[in-house]
Amino acid sequence: ITQNTVIWTVFSTLFAFVLGFAAAVALDRAFVGRGVLRGILLIPYVISAVAASYVWRWLYHSDFGVIGALSVQLGFTDSPINFLDDVDRVLPSLIVVNVWKEFSFAMIMMLAGLQTVPDDLHRAAQVDGASAWQRFWHITVPHLKGVTVVTVLLLLVTNLNSFTIPWIMTGGGPAGASEIWITAIYQMAF
């Protein structure tokens, strides 16, 4: 249970933060349709965890799931992939769902942080001959240190307390392969 909880928490936090930060960097630039894309990328965050869990459980279903059917039609596998009933695939599959649900939060936080970075510093560095990567690494990243710490801590706390997705999708199964602390506590209590 402890190993599953650590894997769940660390990888959910890491991937949600990295994906959210990448989306924030991409959405920080002005382009046509940016507002619409921001709205679309917020959808996972505003959908209830219960609804998302049931939809993803259906997508992952071994017999009727869309993902398994697509993998067969595209020639990746000979038969549908069994995501939620395989002890080796269940935890990574749940992490994918959790990252999909949480990356929008990281995106919002990091986008807010990116908008506080002074343009004057970027222009001055560009005049001094700094490349885009050097400006990003030496100006943007240091300015995001505070918001990064807060975002990662909030994601860690959220993932340690995350009950809905693992419980609805698997109930801790199969054979305890997706059991984490919070679901074990729930089972002991009730």
Side-chain angles (χ1 to χ4, degrees), residues 57 94 164-174 176 178-179 183-184 187:
R57 197 167 90 175
L94 292 179
T164 308
I165 291 172
W167 185 255
I168 288 177
M169 290 186 70
T170 65
S178 65
E179 187 89 43
T183 58
Q187 285 183 334

Side-chain angles (χ1 to χ4, degrees), residues 15-190:
F15 292 137
F17 178 77
V18 169
L19 188 60
F21 186 46
V25 169
L27 291 175
D28 192 40
R29 300 179 185 273
F31 58 88
V32 175
R34 178 174 70 166
V36 173
L37 188 56
R38 282 181 180 179
I40 290 170
L41 291 178
L42 283 176
I43 290 173
Y45 188 64
V46 298
I47 290 176
S48 83
V50 173
S53 297
Y54 279 113
V55 169
W56 277 93
R57 197 167 90 175
W58 173 73
L59 289 171
Y60 279 150
H61 194 276
S62 58
D63 296 325
F64 309 110
V66 174
I67 297 172
L70 279 175
S71 69
V72 171
Q73 286 183 350
L74 295 174
F76 295 133
T77 60
D78 294 332
S79 62
I81 301 168
N82 195 354
F83 289 102
L84 299 180
D85 295 328
D86 186 315
V87 293
D88 296 324
R89 290 189 185 116
V90 67
L91 198 55
S93 299
L94 292 179
I95 289 171
V96 166
V97 175
N98 199 41
V99 168
W100 173 82
K101 183 86 178 87
E102 290 182 344
F103 91 93
S104 297
F105 170 74
M107 179 188 75
I108 293 166
M109 295 291 286
M110 299 310 292
L111 192 55
L114 283 168
Q115 292 175 355
T116 66
V117 178
D119 288 334
D120 296 342
L121 289 176
H122 280 285
R123 284 193 291 265
Q126 189 173 10
V127 168
D128 289 342
S131 67
W133 173 253
Q134 289 171 329
R135 290 191 310 270
F136 177 76
W137 188 251
H138 294 291
I139 296 171
T140 305
V141 171
H143 273 83
L144 296 176
K145 185 168 58 172
V147 73
T148 298
V149 169
V150 169
T151 303
V152 169
L153 284 175
L154 288 172
L155 285 171
L156 279 171
V157 169
T158 299
N159 289 325
L160 279 172
N161 291 318
S162 185
F163 172 78
T164 308
I165 291 172
W167 185 255
I168 288 177
M169 290 186 70
T170 65
S178 65
E179 187 89 43
I180 57 176
W181 286 341
I182 197 83
T183 58
I185 290 168
Y186 178 81
Q187 285 183 334
M188 283 191 300
F190 299 105

